Amino acid sequence: MSRWKELPAELDPRVRQLVVRLRRLKDHGGLSMRQLAAKTGYSAKSWERYLGGRSLPPRDAVEAMAGIAGEDPTRLLALHEVASEHWPRTRGALPGAPEEAAESGRPEHPGASEAGYHDEVTVSRRSRTVRITGAVALVLAVAAAVLLAVRFTGASGSGDEDSDGHPAAASAAPVTASASGSKPVYTCRVRREDGHWYAGNSRTQEALVAFGEAGPEVAEVQCLLDRAGLSPGEVDGIFGPLTQRAVKRVQQRDGLVVDGIVGPHTWRALRGAAPH
Protein backbone atom coordinates (compact mmCIF):
# COMPACT_ATOMS: atom_id res chain seq x y z
CA MET A 1 0.00 0.00 0.00
CA SER A 2 1.29 3.51 -0.81
CA ARG A 3 2.67 5.57 2.05
CA TRP A 4 0.42 8.57 1.67
CA LYS A 5 1.12 11.89 3.28
CA GLU A 6 -1.38 12.99 5.89
CA LEU A 7 -4.18 15.08 4.40
CA PRO A 8 -4.48 18.75 5.45
CA ALA A 9 -6.30 19.16 8.76
CA GLU A 10 -8.39 21.95 7.19
CA LEU A 11 -9.92 19.55 4.64
CA ASP A 12 -13.70 19.20 4.98
CA PRO A 13 -14.71 15.62 6.00
CA ARG A 14 -16.84 15.24 2.84
CA VAL A 15 -13.87 16.17 0.64
CA ARG A 16 -11.59 13.96 2.73
CA GLN A 17 -13.89 10.97 2.20
CA LEU A 18 -13.68 11.38 -1.58
CA VAL A 19 -9.87 11.72 -1.54
CA VAL A 20 -9.43 8.66 0.70
CA ARG A 21 -11.66 6.61 -1.62
CA LEU A 22 -9.65 7.70 -4.68
CA ARG A 23 -6.40 6.85 -2.90
CA ARG A 24 -7.75 3.41 -2.10
CA LEU A 25 -8.74 2.76 -5.74
CA LYS A 26 -5.28 3.81 -6.92
CA ASP A 27 -3.61 1.51 -4.37
CA HIS A 28 -5.81 -1.44 -5.33
CA GLY A 29 -4.93 -0.92 -8.98
CA GLY A 30 -1.22 -0.78 -8.18
CA LEU A 31 -0.79 2.25 -10.44
CA SER A 32 1.95 4.85 -10.34
CA MET A 33 1.08 8.50 -10.93
CA ARG A 34 2.48 8.27 -14.48
CA GLN A 35 0.37 5.20 -15.24
CA LEU A 36 -2.69 6.90 -13.79
CA ALA A 37 -2.03 9.93 -15.99
CA ALA A 38 -1.70 7.75 -19.09
CA LYS A 39 -4.97 5.94 -18.39
CA THR A 40 -7.09 8.96 -17.44
CA GLY A 41 -5.66 11.79 -19.55
CA TYR A 42 -5.01 13.98 -16.49
CA SER A 43 -1.36 14.77 -15.77
CA ALA A 44 0.61 13.17 -12.94
CA LYS A 45 0.97 16.59 -11.28
CA SER A 46 -2.80 17.03 -11.38
CA TRP A 47 -3.31 13.66 -9.70
CA GLU A 48 -0.73 14.57 -7.06
CA ARG A 49 -2.84 17.63 -6.24
CA TYR A 50 -6.11 15.66 -6.30
CA LEU A 51 -4.84 12.83 -4.07
CA GLY A 52 -3.04 15.25 -1.79
CA GLY A 53 -6.25 17.15 -1.03
CA ARG A 54 -4.94 20.37 -2.62
CA SER A 55 -7.33 20.43 -5.59
CA LEU A 56 -10.78 18.97 -6.20
CA PRO A 57 -10.66 16.54 -9.15
CA PRO A 58 -13.10 17.14 -12.03
CA ARG A 59 -16.00 14.73 -12.38
CA ASP A 60 -14.51 13.24 -15.55
CA ALA A 61 -11.32 12.40 -13.64
CA VAL A 62 -13.34 10.71 -10.88
CA GLU A 63 -15.36 8.75 -13.44
CA ALA A 64 -12.18 7.71 -15.26
CA MET A 65 -10.69 6.44 -11.99
CA ALA A 66 -13.80 4.35 -11.34
CA GLY A 67 -13.57 2.88 -14.84
CA ILE A 68 -9.92 1.90 -14.35
CA ALA A 69 -10.70 0.25 -11.02
CA GLY A 70 -13.70 -1.60 -12.47
CA GLU A 71 -16.04 0.05 -9.98
CA ASP A 72 -19.54 1.36 -10.59
CA PRO A 73 -18.98 5.15 -10.86
CA THR A 74 -22.41 6.03 -9.43
CA ARG A 75 -21.40 6.07 -5.76
CA LEU A 76 -18.05 7.75 -6.47
CA LEU A 77 -19.77 10.51 -8.46
CA ALA A 78 -22.29 10.99 -5.64
CA LEU A 79 -19.37 11.47 -3.23
CA HIS A 80 -17.85 13.95 -5.68
CA GLU A 81 -21.07 15.94 -5.89
CA VAL A 82 -21.23 16.24 -2.09
CA ALA A 83 -17.53 17.17 -1.92
CA SER A 84 -18.04 19.84 -4.59
CA GLU A 85 -20.62 21.59 -2.44
CA HIS A 86 -18.14 21.92 0.44
CA TRP A 87 -14.97 22.52 -1.56
CA PRO A 88 -15.21 26.37 -1.84
CA ARG A 89 -15.07 26.70 1.94
CA THR A 90 -12.26 24.12 2.19
CA ARG A 91 -10.23 25.80 -0.56
CA GLY A 92 -10.31 29.10 1.32
CA ALA A 93 -8.90 27.42 4.43
CA LEU A 94 -6.06 25.56 2.69
CA PRO A 95 -2.67 27.34 2.67
CA GLY A 96 -1.43 27.92 -0.87
CA ALA A 97 -4.34 26.08 -2.51
CA PRO A 98 -4.19 26.32 -6.35
CA GLU A 99 -6.86 27.99 -8.42
CA GLU A 100 -9.55 25.63 -9.67
CA ALA A 101 -10.25 27.25 -13.03
CA ALA A 102 -7.80 25.04 -14.84
CA GLU A 103 -9.06 21.91 -13.07
CA SER A 104 -12.56 21.96 -14.53
CA GLY A 105 -11.71 21.89 -18.21
CA ARG A 106 -10.67 19.15 -20.58
CA PRO A 107 -8.12 16.57 -19.39
CA GLU A 108 -4.46 16.84 -20.33
CA HIS A 109 -3.38 14.06 -22.66
CA PRO A 110 0.16 12.92 -22.00
CA GLY A 111 0.67 11.47 -25.49
CA ALA A 112 -0.82 10.42 -28.78
CA SER A 113 -1.76 7.06 -27.26
CA GLU A 114 -4.60 8.81 -25.46
CA ALA A 115 -6.39 9.76 -28.68
CA GLY A 116 -9.23 7.39 -27.85
CA TYR A 117 -9.78 8.81 -24.39
CA HIS A 118 -12.90 10.79 -25.23
CA ASP A 119 -14.52 7.73 -26.78
CA GLU A 120 -14.16 5.92 -23.44
CA VAL A 121 -15.39 8.62 -21.07
CA THR A 122 -17.92 10.58 -23.16
CA VAL A 123 -21.20 10.62 -21.25
CA SER A 124 -23.79 13.33 -21.62
CA ARG A 125 -24.10 15.69 -18.66
CA ARG A 126 -27.83 15.12 -18.58
CA SER A 127 -27.62 11.35 -18.17
CA ARG A 128 -24.83 11.73 -15.63
CA THR A 129 -26.93 14.13 -13.54
CA VAL A 130 -29.93 11.78 -13.63
CA ARG A 131 -27.72 8.86 -12.58
CA ILE A 132 -26.19 10.76 -9.66
CA THR A 133 -29.59 12.00 -8.48
CA GLY A 134 -30.96 8.47 -8.57
CA ALA A 135 -27.97 7.16 -6.64
CA VAL A 136 -28.40 9.75 -3.89
CA ALA A 137 -32.11 8.95 -3.59
CA LEU A 138 -31.34 5.22 -3.41
CA VAL A 139 -28.71 5.70 -0.71
CA LEU A 140 -31.12 7.78 1.39
CA ALA A 141 -33.90 5.22 1.00
CA VAL A 142 -31.64 2.31 2.00
CA ALA A 143 -30.31 4.25 5.00
CA ALA A 144 -33.85 4.97 6.19
CA ALA A 145 -34.84 1.31 5.82
CA VAL A 146 -31.77 0.09 7.74
CA LEU A 147 -32.36 2.57 10.56
CA LEU A 148 -35.99 1.48 10.84
CA ALA A 149 -34.99 -2.20 10.93
CA VAL A 150 -32.37 -1.57 13.59
CA ARG A 151 -34.90 0.23 15.79
CA PHE A 152 -37.21 -2.77 15.67
CA THR A 153 -34.51 -5.41 16.23
CA GLY A 154 -32.01 -3.61 18.46
CA ALA A 155 -33.72 -4.65 21.68
CA SER A 156 -33.38 -8.39 20.98
CA GLY A 157 -29.57 -8.63 20.85
CA SER A 158 -28.63 -7.79 24.46
CA GLY A 159 -27.93 -11.35 25.71
CA ASP A 160 -25.06 -12.28 23.39
CA GLU A 161 -22.04 -14.21 24.61
CA ASP A 162 -18.58 -14.40 23.07
CA SER A 163 -17.12 -17.46 21.34
CA ASP A 164 -15.86 -18.81 24.71
CA GLY A 165 -19.29 -18.59 26.35
CA HIS A 166 -18.52 -15.47 28.37
CA PRO A 167 -20.72 -12.39 28.39
CA ALA A 168 -19.80 -9.83 25.77
CA ALA A 169 -18.01 -6.64 26.82
CA ALA A 170 -20.97 -4.45 25.92
CA SER A 171 -24.67 -5.20 25.70
CA ALA A 172 -25.98 -3.71 22.48
CA ALA A 173 -25.25 -3.71 18.78
CA PRO A 174 -24.02 -0.51 17.09
CA VAL A 175 -25.78 2.13 15.03
CA THR A 176 -28.95 2.88 16.89
CA ALA A 177 -30.32 6.38 16.75
CA SER A 178 -29.97 8.61 19.80
CA ALA A 179 -33.10 9.98 21.47
CA SER A 180 -32.73 13.29 19.63
CA GLY A 181 -32.03 11.55 16.31
CA SER A 182 -28.97 13.77 15.84
CA LYS A 183 -26.35 11.04 15.39
CA PRO A 184 -25.93 7.26 15.69
CA VAL A 185 -24.79 5.71 18.97
CA TYR A 186 -22.06 3.05 18.86
CA THR A 187 -21.16 0.50 21.52
CA CYS A 188 -18.32 -1.99 21.88
CA ARG A 189 -19.19 -5.69 21.94
CA VAL A 190 -15.67 -7.08 21.95
CA ARG A 191 -15.15 -10.76 21.27
CA ARG A 192 -12.43 -13.00 19.86
CA GLU A 193 -13.16 -15.06 16.75
CA ASP A 194 -10.66 -17.21 14.86
CA GLY A 195 -7.77 -15.45 16.55
CA HIS A 196 -9.02 -11.94 15.75
CA TRP A 197 -10.74 -9.29 17.86
CA TYR A 198 -14.06 -7.83 16.75
CA ALA A 199 -16.16 -5.16 18.44
CA GLY A 200 -19.46 -5.61 16.59
CA ASN A 201 -19.37 -2.43 14.47
CA SER A 202 -17.51 -3.62 11.35
CA ARG A 203 -15.67 -6.75 10.25
CA THR A 204 -13.46 -5.05 7.67
CA GLN A 205 -9.79 -5.99 7.42
CA GLU A 206 -8.63 -3.45 4.85
CA ALA A 207 -10.87 -0.35 4.66
CA LEU A 208 -8.90 2.91 4.79
CA VAL A 209 -10.04 5.04 7.71
CA ALA A 210 -8.52 8.50 8.27
CA PHE A 211 -8.89 11.74 10.22
CA GLY A 212 -12.22 13.49 9.67
CA GLU A 213 -14.17 10.37 8.66
CA ALA A 214 -17.20 9.04 10.50
CA GLY A 215 -19.14 5.78 10.60
CA PRO A 216 -19.10 2.21 11.94
CA GLU A 217 -15.54 1.53 10.72
CA VAL A 218 -14.31 4.43 12.86
CA ALA A 219 -16.29 3.11 15.86
CA GLU A 220 -14.70 -0.32 15.33
CA VAL A 221 -11.24 1.28 15.38
CA GLN A 222 -12.09 3.17 18.59
CA CYS A 223 -13.35 0.02 20.34
CA LEU A 224 -10.24 -1.96 19.38
CA LEU A 225 -7.97 0.87 20.48
CA ASP A 226 -9.73 0.95 23.84
CA ARG A 227 -9.38 -2.82 24.17
CA ALA A 228 -5.65 -2.46 23.52
CA GLY A 229 -5.36 0.08 26.34
CA LEU A 230 -4.94 3.11 24.06
CA SER A 231 -7.86 5.44 24.75
CA PRO A 232 -9.35 7.07 21.63
CA GLY A 233 -11.70 9.19 23.72
CA GLU A 234 -15.44 8.71 23.35
CA VAL A 235 -16.60 5.89 21.06
CA ASP A 236 -18.67 8.14 18.82
CA GLY A 237 -17.72 6.91 15.34
CA ILE A 238 -15.88 10.18 14.55
CA PHE A 239 -12.18 10.06 13.68
CA GLY A 240 -10.89 13.02 15.66
CA PRO A 241 -7.52 14.07 17.15
CA LEU A 242 -7.67 11.66 20.12
CA THR A 243 -8.42 8.71 17.84
CA GLN A 244 -5.66 9.73 15.44
CA ARG A 245 -3.17 10.00 18.32
CA ALA A 246 -4.08 6.52 19.59
CA VAL A 247 -3.75 5.06 16.06
CA LYS A 248 -0.26 6.55 15.74
CA ARG A 249 0.70 4.98 19.07
CA VAL A 250 -0.39 1.56 17.81
CA GLN A 251 1.57 2.06 14.59
CA GLN A 252 4.68 3.15 16.47
CA ARG A 253 4.36 0.25 18.91
CA ASP A 254 4.10 -2.33 16.10
CA GLY A 255 6.79 -0.84 13.85
CA LEU A 256 4.35 0.34 11.16
CA VAL A 257 4.36 3.55 9.12
CA VAL A 258 3.20 6.22 11.57
CA ASP A 259 0.70 8.18 9.45
CA GLY A 260 -2.44 8.03 11.60
CA ILE A 261 -4.36 6.26 8.81
CA VAL A 262 -5.89 2.84 9.49
CA GLY A 263 -5.21 0.48 6.58
CA PRO A 264 -4.71 -3.31 6.24
CA HIS A 265 -1.52 -3.39 8.37
CA THR A 266 -3.01 -1.32 11.18
CA TRP A 267 -6.23 -3.37 11.11
CA ARG A 268 -4.09 -6.48 11.51
CA ALA A 269 -2.36 -4.95 14.53
CA LEU A 270 -5.68 -3.93 16.11
CA ARG A 271 -7.44 -7.22 15.51
CA GLY A 272 -4.57 -9.51 16.45
CA ALA A 273 -2.49 -7.78 19.11
CA ALA A 274 -2.81 -8.67 22.77
CA PRO A 275 -3.77 -5.86 25.17
CA HIS A 276 -0.90 -3.85 26.67
Side-chain angles (χ1 to χ4, degrees):
M1 184 178 70
S2 299
R3 297 186 177 184
W4 293 104
K5 291 184 179 180
E6 187 173 338
L7 291 171
E10 300 85 358
L11 208 61
D12 185 274
R14 275 69 50 130
V15 179
R16 184 182 297 272
Q17 186 176 9
L18 173 65
V19 174
V20 170
R21 181 61 59 86
L22 291 173
R23 285 181 170 187
R24 183 180 179 186
L25 292 178
K26 176 186 176 297
D27 286 343
H28 278 217
L31 300 174
S32 67
M33 289 294 185
R34 292 174 62 87
Q35 291 171 327
L36 191 58
K39 288 179 175 291
T40 64
Y42 289 84
S43 70
K45 288 186 178 180
S46 293
W47 277 111
E48 287 175 1
R49 292 196 300 272
Y50 303 154
L51 299 177
R54 292 181 287 119
S55 293
L56 184 71
R59 281 181 296 182
D60 286 346
V62 173
E63 188 171 17
M65 174 71 90
I68 292 170
E71 180 170 297
D72 184 350
T74 305
R75 183 180 178 187
L76 206 58
L77 290 173
L79 288 177
H80 179 270
E81 184 168 306
V82 173
S84 298
E85 295 176 359
H86 295 84
W87 176 251
R89 181 175 55 190
T90 296
R91 181 178 55 182
L94 291 175
E99 293 296 328
E100 293 300 309
E103 304 297 339
S104 60
R106 296 172 60 184
E108 307 168 42
H109 294 280
S113 61
E114 301 300 318
Y117 171 80
H118 288 291
D119 291 335
E120 299 176 5
V121 299
T122 298
V123 179
S124 71
R125 291 188 179 275
R126 179 176 301 175
S127 63
R128 185 161 53 228
T129 300
V130 170
R131 192 169 58 208
I132 293 172
T133 303
V136 172
L138 178 61
V139 169
L140 292 175
V142 171
V146 169
L147 182 58
L148 184 61
V150 169
R151 283 189 172 183
F152 278 105
T153 61
S156 63
S158 60
D160 289 345
E161 296 183 346
D162 63 17
S163 58
D164 296 324
H166 298 91
S171 62
V175 198
T176 58
S178 63
S180 63
S182 59
K183 65 177 183 178
V185 175
Y186 298 97
T187 56
C188 302
R189 194 173 61 194
V190 179
R191 65 180 66 202
R192 191 137 175 110
E193 297 180 15
D194 299 325
H196 294 84
W197 290 102
Y198 296 93
N201 295 291
S202 172
R203 299 183 67 85
T204 182
Q205 301 278 359
E206 61 178 28
L208 291 179
V209 186
F211 183 87
E213 293 196 45
E217 289 81 10
V218 178
E220 183 78 2
V221 169
Q222 292 173 327
C223 289
L224 296 178
L225 286 168
D226 190 62
R227 185 208 67 82
L230 301 170
S231 175
E234 180 185 0
V235 178
D236 56 4
I238 300 175
F239 202 121
L242 293 178
T243 301
Q244 185 182 54
R245 187 180 311 150
V247 168
K248 288 183 177 180
R249 289 176 63 190
V250 167
Q251 293 171 331
Q252 185 175 22
R253 182 193 70 189
D254 287 28
L256 303 176
V257 176
V258 182
D259 57 5
I261 299 174
V262 179
H265 298 297
T266 306
W267 278 117
R268 193 174 303 122
L270 290 171
R271 294 209 186 278
H276 281 56

